[in-house]
Amino acid sequence: RVNVEELWELVRDEGETFGYKDLAQLAFGEDITDDHVSALVRALFEERLCFKFKDGYFLPNSEERVEKIARQRQEEALKEERLKQGAAWIKAILEGKRVEEPPLKDDIVEMLVQLALYGSDAADFKTGKELLSRAGIPNTGKARDVLLRLGVWEEDENLDLHRLGVGHAFSEEHLAQSTEVAQAEAEFRGREDLTHLPVVTVDGPETLDYDDALSIEVRGKDLHVGVHISDVASAIAPGSPLDSEAAERASSIYLPRQQIPMLPPALSQDALSLKQGKVRKAVSLLVRFDADGVLLDYRFVPSLVCVKRRLTYNELDGSLEGEFGLDRIYRLCRKLREARIEQGALNLSLHELVVKVGEDGAVSLERLDQNTPPRMMVAEMMILYNHLAASFCRDRQIPALYRTQEAPSERLIQEEIPGYLFYVFRQRRKLSPMRMDTAPGRHSGLGVDAYTHATSPIRRYLDLLVQRQIVNSLQGLPLFYSKGDLEKIAMRVEPVVRDLARMKRNRLRYWVLKYLRQNPNGVYSAMVLDELKSKYRVVLTDFLQTAEMGPKNGLNLRPGQEVMIQVKKADPWENELEIVKAD
């Protein structure tokens, strides 16, 4: 019959301790027996909320302390209920039973997700471990498998996207603003009309967003080349919700079976995209070359362009001959590349691996040569645009984000090294790191005296910043950013870009390992990169993925030597690749 809370209300403001007989008298009156005292003590020790026992006396807890203890008890009760519901649910699903989802499903799933993503570093690792243990799963590493069985994750779930917090969908606010921007009446004043030019886009067959296009005209002995980049700067206002979201995303993400754009599709794939037959705003670079490929002059202009034809690399791989004069651009690009190489540029390109996944989950891999005429042509035109954009900003003292690279620690002679692949891997180890700076400087790897990124404003946020500076300068408007502004933004965005690049590499390796697991009897070519103490580090030449092969067991291989290998184990989830020398 002891009402502990009522008793606490009576004495909590007294600021003193109480003996158990005093509290018993407050609870039952003056006439108390040992039974009354015993009842009071039992009640206080069972309740353990309002009073603290110390040195034989009871001290009333403060109101804040009582509230804190009450919250902790609620959390513990919720935690226990979560464990109880979760363990029963997981156990039933693993036994193949059809059961209703528990009320605390979201909490249970989040606990499993954190465990699968971060393991022992998960915020509530002990509780997650207890959850799986109660469900009969002693290994916390099985959290990912449980999420698969629960239908929360797919077989090929990209965990890096979860770890990086990359959002797929855009908010209602962003979608509404993108629709508003897309439907806004275009303002064409102050733009040079270039819609008469034979402008074409050249991209991969699965490209959805077109932010660059090319054109060429022959006037007398001179070649007039146009590189046209979608004018995103004139559509997305700095500081707007769309701009903030783009900065947060930093870059579009292109993965097998998945594309996550930096800007909503209504803009990136439609209103701002250089689509065939549509008049679009652009920031055009118009360059005049003589017959020998010497640059005579250039200018940047806010423009209007209309793409006459959408072309793919596959269409052009056989020949660049055609009505758009791309064969002339290609011959020019060969001269431009040769000139850059004379200035110290290094051509260290390797094939690109394209992953395709069938509806049945079967993985296929395709090697794309980056030095085919159409790919080389487009790459060289983008280098030209970025180089001249950097020169434009430098010469006019426009704050910009420049890309620089010091000379390599050593330049290797390709002819002295066995095999192109081995040469590329060894030379890459000698390269200096590429840096981003607000001060212009030489880019040794490309052989140019100034370089920036401004050719993908639909796909890369830092390109959009540079484009804004160029557009405002061309239009005689105040510049958006000072050097300090650009440095602050770059410090926030560049780490995200690096994380996304690492995620993309990890994801490519995931699919390669899955392919190897699906083809367990294959024999593959590899090249020895390094001889280690008890094993060799090799690169699988078809896939450009490294692995360690050992123990040596009498093998006598040397760096640069080719060797045939077999895959002993390939686990894409655990990033494990075990290989042995083929018999």
Short mmCIF file of all heavy atoms in Angstrom, two decimals, residues 97-156:
data_model
loop_
_atom_site.label_atom_id
_atom_site.label_comp_id
_atom_site.label_asym_id
_atom_site.label_seq_id
_atom_site.Cartn_x
_atom_site.Cartn_y
_atom_site.Cartn_z
N LYS A 97 8.81 -19.87 -42.09
CA LYS A 97 7.42 -19.62 -41.70
C LYS A 97 6.96 -18.26 -42.19
O LYS A 97 7.76 -17.32 -42.32
CB LYS A 97 7.30 -19.68 -40.17
CG LYS A 97 7.67 -21.02 -39.57
CD LYS A 97 7.60 -20.97 -38.05
CE LYS A 97 8.02 -22.30 -37.45
NZ LYS A 97 8.01 -22.25 -35.95
N ARG A 98 5.70 -18.14 -42.49
CA ARG A 98 5.10 -16.86 -42.89
C ARG A 98 4.47 -16.22 -41.66
O ARG A 98 3.52 -16.74 -41.08
CB ARG A 98 4.06 -17.07 -43.98
CG ARG A 98 4.63 -17.68 -45.25
CD ARG A 98 3.61 -17.71 -46.36
NE ARG A 98 3.23 -16.37 -46.76
CZ ARG A 98 2.35 -16.10 -47.73
NH1 ARG A 98 1.74 -17.09 -48.36
NH2 ARG A 98 2.06 -14.86 -48.05
N VAL A 99 5.03 -15.11 -41.26
CA VAL A 99 4.54 -14.44 -40.05
C VAL A 99 4.33 -12.95 -40.34
O VAL A 99 4.91 -12.40 -41.29
CB VAL A 99 5.55 -14.59 -38.88
CG1 VAL A 99 5.64 -16.04 -38.44
CG2 VAL A 99 6.93 -14.08 -39.30
N GLU A 100 3.50 -12.32 -39.53
CA GLU A 100 3.28 -10.89 -39.68
C GLU A 100 4.52 -10.12 -39.22
O GLU A 100 5.24 -10.56 -38.32
CB GLU A 100 2.07 -10.46 -38.84
CG GLU A 100 0.74 -10.97 -39.37
CD GLU A 100 -0.43 -10.38 -38.59
OE1 GLU A 100 -0.18 -9.45 -37.77
OE2 GLU A 100 -1.56 -10.82 -38.80
N GLU A 101 4.72 -8.98 -39.85
CA GLU A 101 5.83 -8.13 -39.45
C GLU A 101 5.56 -7.54 -38.07
O GLU A 101 4.43 -7.11 -37.78
CB GLU A 101 6.03 -7.00 -40.46
CG GLU A 101 6.44 -7.49 -41.84
CD GLU A 101 6.54 -6.35 -42.83
OE1 GLU A 101 6.03 -5.24 -42.52
OE2 GLU A 101 7.11 -6.56 -43.92
N PRO A 102 6.55 -7.52 -37.20
CA PRO A 102 6.34 -7.00 -35.84
C PRO A 102 6.15 -5.48 -35.86
O PRO A 102 6.63 -4.80 -36.78
CB PRO A 102 7.64 -7.38 -35.12
CG PRO A 102 8.66 -7.48 -36.20
CD PRO A 102 7.93 -7.99 -37.41
N PRO A 103 5.48 -4.93 -34.85
CA PRO A 103 5.28 -3.47 -34.78
C PRO A 103 6.59 -2.69 -34.78
O PRO A 103 6.65 -1.58 -35.30
CB PRO A 103 4.52 -3.28 -33.46
CG PRO A 103 3.85 -4.61 -33.21
CD PRO A 103 4.78 -5.64 -33.76
N LEU A 104 7.63 -3.26 -34.21
CA LEU A 104 8.92 -2.56 -34.12
C LEU A 104 9.85 -2.96 -35.28
O LEU A 104 11.08 -2.91 -35.15
CB LEU A 104 9.60 -2.86 -32.78
CG LEU A 104 8.89 -2.28 -31.56
CD1 LEU A 104 9.55 -2.78 -30.27
CD2 LEU A 104 8.91 -0.76 -31.59
N LYS A 105 9.27 -3.33 -36.41
CA LYS A 105 10.07 -3.80 -37.55
C LYS A 105 11.15 -2.80 -37.95
O LYS A 105 12.32 -3.17 -38.16
CB LYS A 105 9.17 -4.07 -38.75
CG LYS A 105 9.95 -4.39 -40.01
CD LYS A 105 9.09 -4.31 -41.27
CE LYS A 105 9.97 -4.37 -42.52
NZ LYS A 105 9.18 -4.22 -43.76
N ASP A 106 10.80 -1.53 -38.07
CA ASP A 106 11.77 -0.52 -38.54
C ASP A 106 12.97 -0.43 -37.62
O ASP A 106 14.12 -0.32 -38.08
CB ASP A 106 11.09 0.85 -38.66
CG ASP A 106 10.08 0.89 -39.80
OD1 ASP A 106 10.11 -0.02 -40.66
OD2 ASP A 106 9.26 1.83 -39.83
N ASP A 107 12.74 -0.48 -36.32
CA ASP A 107 13.84 -0.44 -35.35
C ASP A 107 14.72 -1.68 -35.47
O ASP A 107 15.96 -1.60 -35.41
CB ASP A 107 13.30 -0.34 -33.92
CG ASP A 107 12.66 1.01 -33.63
OD1 ASP A 107 12.86 1.92 -34.45
OD2 ASP A 107 11.96 1.13 -32.62
N ILE A 108 14.10 -2.82 -35.65
CA ILE A 108 14.84 -4.08 -35.76
C ILE A 108 15.70 -4.08 -37.02
O ILE A 108 16.89 -4.45 -37.00
CB ILE A 108 13.86 -5.27 -35.77
CG1 ILE A 108 13.08 -5.32 -34.45
CG2 ILE A 108 14.60 -6.58 -36.02
CD1 ILE A 108 11.84 -6.18 -34.49
N VAL A 109 15.10 -3.65 -38.13
CA VAL A 109 15.82 -3.62 -39.40
C VAL A 109 17.00 -2.64 -39.31
O VAL A 109 18.11 -2.95 -39.78
CB VAL A 109 14.87 -3.23 -40.55
CG1 VAL A 109 15.67 -2.86 -41.81
CG2 VAL A 109 13.91 -4.35 -40.85
N GLU A 110 16.79 -1.48 -38.73
CA GLU A 110 17.87 -0.50 -38.61
C GLU A 110 19.03 -1.06 -37.80
O GLU A 110 20.20 -0.82 -38.12
CB GLU A 110 17.34 0.79 -37.98
CG GLU A 110 18.39 1.88 -37.82
CD GLU A 110 19.03 2.32 -39.13
OE1 GLU A 110 18.40 2.15 -40.19
OE2 GLU A 110 20.16 2.83 -39.09
N MET A 111 18.72 -1.81 -36.76
CA MET A 111 19.77 -2.42 -35.95
C MET A 111 20.58 -3.42 -36.79
O MET A 111 21.82 -3.45 -36.73
CB MET A 111 19.15 -3.14 -34.75
CG MET A 111 20.16 -3.59 -33.70
SD MET A 111 19.38 -4.57 -32.39
CE MET A 111 18.07 -3.46 -31.88
N LEU A 112 19.90 -4.21 -37.61
CA LEU A 112 20.58 -5.17 -38.47
C LEU A 112 21.40 -4.46 -39.54
O LEU A 112 22.51 -4.89 -39.87
CB LEU A 112 19.55 -6.09 -39.13
CG LEU A 112 18.85 -7.09 -38.20
CD1 LEU A 112 17.71 -7.77 -38.92
CD2 LEU A 112 19.84 -8.14 -37.69
N VAL A 113 20.86 -3.37 -40.08
CA VAL A 113 21.58 -2.61 -41.11
C VAL A 113 22.88 -2.07 -40.55
O VAL A 113 23.95 -2.17 -41.18
CB VAL A 113 20.70 -1.48 -41.66
CG1 VAL A 113 21.53 -0.48 -42.47
CG2 VAL A 113 19.58 -2.04 -42.53
N GLN A 114 22.82 -1.46 -39.37
CA GLN A 114 24.02 -0.91 -38.76
C GLN A 114 25.05 -2.01 -38.49
O GLN A 114 26.25 -1.80 -38.67
CB GLN A 114 23.65 -0.20 -37.45
CG GLN A 114 22.81 1.04 -37.63
CD GLN A 114 23.51 2.10 -38.45
OE1 GLN A 114 24.66 2.44 -38.22
NE2 GLN A 114 22.81 2.61 -39.46
N LEU A 115 24.57 -3.17 -38.08
CA LEU A 115 25.46 -4.28 -37.81
C LEU A 115 26.13 -4.76 -39.10
O LEU A 115 27.33 -5.05 -39.13
CB LEU A 115 24.66 -5.42 -37.17
CG LEU A 115 25.42 -6.46 -36.34
CD1 LEU A 115 26.15 -5.80 -35.20
CD2 LEU A 115 24.45 -7.52 -35.83
N ALA A 116 25.34 -4.84 -40.18
CA ALA A 116 25.88 -5.30 -41.47
C ALA A 116 26.86 -4.30 -42.05
O ALA A 116 27.84 -4.69 -42.70
CB ALA A 116 24.73 -5.56 -42.44
N LEU A 117 26.61 -3.01 -41.85
CA LEU A 117 27.46 -1.98 -42.44
C LEU A 117 28.75 -1.78 -41.67
O LEU A 117 29.82 -1.59 -42.26
CB LEU A 117 26.70 -0.65 -42.51
CG LEU A 117 25.51 -0.57 -43.48
CD1 LEU A 117 24.86 0.80 -43.38
CD2 LEU A 117 25.94 -0.85 -44.91
N TYR A 118 28.66 -1.82 -40.34
CA TYR A 118 29.80 -1.39 -39.53
C TYR A 118 30.35 -2.46 -38.59
O TYR A 118 31.35 -2.20 -37.90
CB TYR A 118 29.42 -0.14 -38.73
CG TYR A 118 28.92 0.98 -39.61
CD1 TYR A 118 27.57 1.34 -39.60
CD2 TYR A 118 29.78 1.64 -40.47
CE1 TYR A 118 27.12 2.37 -40.43
CE2 TYR A 118 29.32 2.66 -41.30
CZ TYR A 118 27.99 3.01 -41.26
OH TYR A 118 27.53 4.02 -42.09
N GLY A 119 29.72 -3.61 -38.50
CA GLY A 119 30.23 -4.69 -37.66
C GLY A 119 30.38 -4.26 -36.22
O GLY A 119 29.47 -3.67 -35.62
N SER A 120 31.54 -4.53 -35.64
CA SER A 120 31.76 -4.21 -34.22
C SER A 120 31.81 -2.71 -33.97
O SER A 120 31.78 -2.28 -32.82
CB SER A 120 33.06 -4.86 -33.73
OG SER A 120 34.16 -4.40 -34.51
N ASP A 121 31.91 -1.90 -35.03
CA ASP A 121 31.90 -0.44 -34.87
C ASP A 121 30.49 0.14 -34.90
O ASP A 121 30.32 1.36 -34.82
CB ASP A 121 32.74 0.22 -35.98
CG ASP A 121 34.22 -0.09 -35.84
OD1 ASP A 121 34.68 -0.25 -34.70
OD2 ASP A 121 34.91 -0.17 -36.87
N ALA A 122 29.49 -0.72 -35.04
CA ALA A 122 28.10 -0.24 -35.05
C ALA A 122 27.77 0.43 -33.72
O ALA A 122 28.27 0.03 -32.66
CB ALA A 122 27.14 -1.40 -35.31
N ALA A 123 26.93 1.44 -33.78
CA ALA A 123 26.62 2.23 -32.58
C ALA A 123 26.02 1.37 -31.47
O ALA A 123 26.29 1.59 -30.30
CB ALA A 123 25.65 3.36 -32.95
N ASP A 124 25.20 0.38 -31.83
CA ASP A 124 24.55 -0.47 -30.82
C ASP A 124 24.93 -1.93 -31.07
O ASP A 124 24.07 -2.80 -31.19
CB ASP A 124 23.03 -0.27 -30.89
CG ASP A 124 22.37 -0.56 -29.55
OD1 ASP A 124 23.08 -0.93 -28.60
OD2 ASP A 124 21.14 -0.43 -29.47
N PHE A 125 26.25 -2.15 -31.18
CA PHE A 125 26.74 -3.48 -31.55
C PHE A 125 26.27 -4.56 -30.56
O PHE A 125 25.84 -5.64 -30.96
CB PHE A 125 28.26 -3.46 -31.63
CG PHE A 125 28.88 -4.82 -31.80
CD1 PHE A 125 28.78 -5.49 -33.01
CD2 PHE A 125 29.54 -5.44 -30.74
CE1 PHE A 125 29.35 -6.75 -33.18
CE2 PHE A 125 30.11 -6.70 -30.89
CZ PHE A 125 30.01 -7.35 -32.11
N LYS A 126 26.37 -4.28 -29.24
CA LYS A 126 26.03 -5.30 -28.25
C LYS A 126 24.57 -5.73 -28.37
O LYS A 126 24.24 -6.91 -28.27
CB LYS A 126 26.32 -4.77 -26.84
CG LYS A 126 27.81 -4.65 -26.53
CD LYS A 126 28.03 -4.21 -25.09
CE LYS A 126 29.53 -4.14 -24.76
NZ LYS A 126 29.76 -3.71 -23.36
N THR A 127 23.68 -4.74 -28.59
CA THR A 127 22.27 -5.09 -28.72
C THR A 127 22.03 -5.89 -29.99
O THR A 127 21.26 -6.85 -30.01
CB THR A 127 21.42 -3.81 -28.74
OG1 THR A 127 21.73 -3.00 -27.60
CG2 THR A 127 19.93 -4.14 -28.72
N GLY A 128 22.69 -5.48 -31.08
CA GLY A 128 22.55 -6.23 -32.33
C GLY A 128 23.04 -7.66 -32.19
O GLY A 128 22.43 -8.60 -32.72
N LYS A 129 24.16 -7.81 -31.50
CA LYS A 129 24.70 -9.15 -31.26
C LYS A 129 23.73 -9.99 -30.44
O LYS A 129 23.51 -11.17 -30.72
CB LYS A 129 26.04 -9.03 -30.54
CG LYS A 129 26.75 -10.34 -30.31
CD LYS A 129 28.10 -10.11 -29.62
CE LYS A 129 28.82 -11.44 -29.40
NZ LYS A 129 30.14 -11.23 -28.74
N GLU A 130 23.13 -9.36 -29.43
CA GLU A 130 22.15 -10.06 -28.60
C GLU A 130 20.92 -10.46 -29.42
O GLU A 130 20.38 -11.55 -29.25
CB GLU A 130 21.74 -9.15 -27.44
CG GLU A 130 20.63 -9.70 -26.56
CD GLU A 130 21.05 -10.90 -25.73
OE1 GLU A 130 22.27 -11.15 -25.62
OE2 GLU A 130 20.16 -11.57 -25.19
N LEU A 131 20.50 -9.59 -30.32
CA LEU A 131 19.35 -9.87 -31.17
C LEU A 131 19.59 -11.13 -32.00
O LEU A 131 18.74 -12.03 -32.04
CB LEU A 131 19.09 -8.67 -32.10
CG LEU A 131 18.05 -8.88 -33.21
CD1 LEU A 131 16.67 -9.07 -32.61
CD2 LEU A 131 18.06 -7.70 -34.17
N LEU A 132 20.74 -11.19 -32.66
CA LEU A 132 21.04 -12.35 -33.49
C LEU A 132 21.22 -13.60 -32.64
O LEU A 132 20.80 -14.70 -33.03
CB LEU A 132 22.29 -12.09 -34.33
CG LEU A 132 22.16 -11.04 -35.43
CD1 LEU A 132 23.47 -10.88 -36.18
CD2 LEU A 132 21.05 -11.40 -36.40
N SER A 133 21.84 -13.43 -31.47
CA SER A 133 22.05 -14.57 -30.59
C SER A 133 20.72 -15.18 -30.16
O SER A 133 20.56 -16.42 -30.15
CB SER A 133 22.86 -14.14 -29.37
OG SER A 133 23.05 -15.21 -28.48
N ARG A 134 19.76 -14.33 -29.81
CA ARG A 134 18.45 -14.85 -29.40
C ARG A 134 17.73 -15.54 -30.55
O ARG A 134 16.88 -16.41 -30.33
CB ARG A 134 17.57 -13.70 -28.89
CG ARG A 134 18.03 -13.13 -27.57
CD ARG A 134 16.96 -12.23 -26.99
NE ARG A 134 17.39 -11.50 -25.82
CZ ARG A 134 16.58 -10.77 -25.06
NH1 ARG A 134 15.29 -10.67 -25.36
NH2 ARG A 134 17.05 -10.11 -24.01
N ALA A 135 18.08 -15.13 -31.79
CA ALA A 135 17.47 -15.77 -32.97
C ALA A 135 18.22 -17.02 -33.38
O ALA A 135 17.89 -17.64 -34.39
CB ALA A 135 17.43 -14.78 -34.13
N GLY A 136 19.26 -17.39 -32.60
CA GLY A 136 20.02 -18.59 -32.90
C GLY A 136 21.15 -18.38 -33.88
O GLY A 136 21.62 -19.34 -34.51
N ILE A 137 21.61 -17.13 -34.02
CA ILE A 137 22.69 -16.81 -34.96
C ILE A 137 23.86 -16.26 -34.16
O ILE A 137 23.85 -15.08 -33.77
CB ILE A 137 22.22 -15.78 -36.01
CG1 ILE A 137 20.97 -16.28 -36.71
CG2 ILE A 137 23.33 -15.49 -37.03
CD1 ILE A 137 20.31 -15.24 -37.60
N PRO A 138 24.89 -17.05 -33.90
CA PRO A 138 25.99 -16.57 -33.06
C PRO A 138 26.97 -15.64 -33.77
O PRO A 138 27.72 -14.92 -33.11
CB PRO A 138 26.70 -17.88 -32.66
CG PRO A 138 26.40 -18.83 -33.80
CD PRO A 138 25.02 -18.47 -34.28
N ASN A 139 26.95 -15.61 -35.10
CA ASN A 139 27.91 -14.82 -35.88
C ASN A 139 27.27 -13.52 -36.35
O ASN A 139 26.36 -13.54 -37.16
CB ASN A 139 28.40 -15.65 -37.08
CG ASN A 139 29.47 -14.92 -37.87
OD1 ASN A 139 29.87 -13.81 -37.54
ND2 ASN A 139 29.93 -15.55 -38.94
N THR A 140 27.78 -12.40 -35.86
CA THR A 140 27.21 -11.10 -36.27
C THR A 140 27.47 -10.81 -37.75
O THR A 140 26.80 -9.97 -38.34
CB THR A 140 27.80 -9.96 -35.43
OG1 THR A 140 29.23 -9.96 -35.54
CG2 THR A 140 27.40 -10.09 -33.98
N GLY A 141 28.45 -11.49 -38.34
CA GLY A 141 28.72 -11.31 -39.75
C GLY A 141 27.59 -11.78 -40.63
O GLY A 141 27.57 -11.51 -41.84
N LYS A 142 26.62 -12.48 -40.06
CA LYS A 142 25.48 -12.98 -40.83
C LYS A 142 24.34 -11.95 -40.92
O LYS A 142 23.28 -12.26 -41.46
CB LYS A 142 24.94 -14.26 -40.18
CG LYS A 142 25.93 -15.43 -40.18
CD LYS A 142 26.20 -15.91 -41.59
CE LYS A 142 27.12 -17.11 -41.60
NZ LYS A 142 27.42 -17.57 -42.98
N ALA A 143 24.55 -10.75 -40.38
CA ALA A 143 23.49 -9.74 -40.41
C ALA A 143 23.06 -9.44 -41.85
O ALA A 143 21.87 -9.28 -42.14
CB ALA A 143 23.96 -8.46 -39.73
N ARG A 144 24.04 -9.37 -42.77
CA ARG A 144 23.71 -9.11 -44.18
C ARG A 144 22.83 -10.22 -44.75
O ARG A 144 21.85 -9.97 -45.45
CB ARG A 144 25.00 -8.96 -44.96
CG ARG A 144 24.80 -8.90 -46.47
CD ARG A 144 25.27 -10.18 -47.13
NE ARG A 144 24.91 -10.24 -48.53
CZ ARG A 144 25.10 -11.30 -49.28
NH1 ARG A 144 25.65 -12.38 -48.76
NH2 ARG A 144 24.73 -11.30 -50.55
N ASP A 145 23.13 -11.49 -44.41
CA ASP A 145 22.33 -12.61 -44.90
C ASP A 145 20.90 -12.54 -44.34
O ASP A 145 19.94 -12.87 -45.04
CB ASP A 145 22.98 -13.94 -44.50
CG ASP A 145 24.34 -14.11 -45.15
OD1 ASP A 145 24.51 -13.66 -46.30
OD2 ASP A 145 25.24 -14.68 -44.52
N VAL A 146 20.79 -12.13 -43.09
CA VAL A 146 19.46 -11.99 -42.49
C VAL A 146 18.64 -10.93 -43.22
O VAL A 146 17.45 -11.13 -43.52
CB VAL A 146 19.58 -11.65 -41.00
CG1 VAL A 146 18.21 -11.34 -40.40
CG2 VAL A 146 20.25 -12.79 -40.23
N LEU A 147 19.28 -9.81 -43.56
CA LEU A 147 18.57 -8.75 -44.29
C LEU A 147 18.13 -9.24 -45.67
O LEU A 147 17.08 -8.83 -46.17
CB LEU A 147 19.48 -7.53 -44.41
CG LEU A 147 19.70 -6.76 -43.10
CD1 LEU A 147 20.87 -5.80 -43.24
CD2 LEU A 147 18.44 -6.00 -42.70
N LEU A 148 18.92 -10.10 -46.27
CA LEU A 148 18.52 -10.68 -47.55
C LEU A 148 17.28 -11.56 -47.36
O LEU A 148 16.33 -11.47 -48.14
CB LEU A 148 19.66 -11.52 -48.14
CG LEU A 148 20.89 -10.77 -48.67
CD1 LEU A 148 21.91 -11.78 -49.22
CD2 LEU A 148 20.52 -9.79 -49.76
N ARG A 149 17.32 -12.41 -46.35
CA ARG A 149 16.18 -13.32 -46.11
C ARG A 149 14.92 -12.55 -45.74
O ARG A 149 13.81 -12.97 -46.06
CB ARG A 149 16.54 -14.30 -45.00
CG ARG A 149 17.63 -15.30 -45.35
CD ARG A 149 17.12 -16.31 -46.38
NE ARG A 149 16.02 -17.12 -45.88
CZ ARG A 149 16.16 -18.23 -45.17
NH1 ARG A 149 17.39 -18.69 -44.89
NH2 ARG A 149 15.10 -18.91 -44.75
N LEU A 150 15.10 -11.43 -45.07
CA LEU A 150 13.94 -10.60 -44.70
C LEU A 150 13.40 -9.81 -45.88
O LEU A 150 12.33 -9.21 -45.78
CB LEU A 150 14.31 -9.64 -43.56
CG LEU A 150 14.70 -10.26 -42.22
CD1 LEU A 150 15.10 -9.18 -41.22
CD2 LEU A 150 13.54 -11.10 -41.66
N GLY A 151 14.15 -9.78 -46.98
CA GLY A 151 13.71 -9.03 -48.15
C GLY A 151 13.98 -7.56 -48.07
O GLY A 151 13.47 -6.77 -48.87
N VAL A 152 14.82 -7.16 -47.11
CA VAL A 152 15.16 -5.74 -46.95
C VAL A 152 16.21 -5.33 -47.98
O VAL A 152 16.13 -4.25 -48.56
CB VAL A 152 15.68 -5.48 -45.52
CG1 VAL A 152 16.13 -4.02 -45.37
CG2 VAL A 152 14.59 -5.80 -44.50
N TRP A 153 17.19 -6.19 -48.20
CA TRP A 153 18.26 -5.92 -49.17
C TRP A 153 18.18 -6.90 -50.33
O TRP A 153 17.64 -8.00 -50.20
CB TRP A 153 19.63 -6.06 -48.50
CG TRP A 153 20.05 -4.85 -47.74
CD1 TRP A 153 19.39 -3.66 -47.65
CD2 TRP A 153 21.23 -4.71 -46.93
NE1 TRP A 153 20.07 -2.78 -46.84
CE2 TRP A 153 21.20 -3.40 -46.40
CE3 TRP A 153 22.28 -5.54 -46.62
CZ2 TRP A 153 22.21 -2.92 -45.57
CZ3 TRP A 153 23.28 -5.08 -45.80
CH2 TRP A 153 23.25 -3.78 -45.27
N GLU A 154 18.75 -6.46 -51.46
CA GLU A 154 18.88 -7.33 -52.62
C GLU A 154 20.20 -8.10 -52.52
O GLU A 154 21.08 -7.76 -51.72
CB GLU A 154 18.87 -6.51 -53.91
CG GLU A 154 17.61 -5.72 -54.13
CD GLU A 154 17.69 -4.88 -55.39
OE1 GLU A 154 18.82 -4.68 -55.90
OE2 GLU A 154 16.64 -4.42 -55.85
N GLU A 155 20.34 -9.10 -53.37
CA GLU A 155 21.55 -9.91 -53.39
C GLU A 155 22.80 -9.07 -53.60
O GLU A 155 23.83 -9.30 -52.99
CB GLU A 155 21.44 -10.97 -54.50
CG GLU A 155 22.73 -11.71 -54.79
CD GLU A 155 23.21 -12.57 -53.64
OE1 GLU A 155 22.37 -13.02 -52.83
OE2 GLU A 155 24.42 -12.80 -53.54
N ASP A 156 22.69 -8.06 -54.48
CA ASP A 156 23.85 -7.25 -54.83
C ASP A 156 23.77 -5.84 -54.23
O ASP A 156 24.21 -4.87 -54.84
CB ASP A 156 24.00 -7.17 -56.35
CG ASP A 156 24.18 -8.53 -56.98
OD1 ASP A 156 25.10 -9.25 -56.55
OD2 ASP A 156 23.40 -8.89 -57.88
#
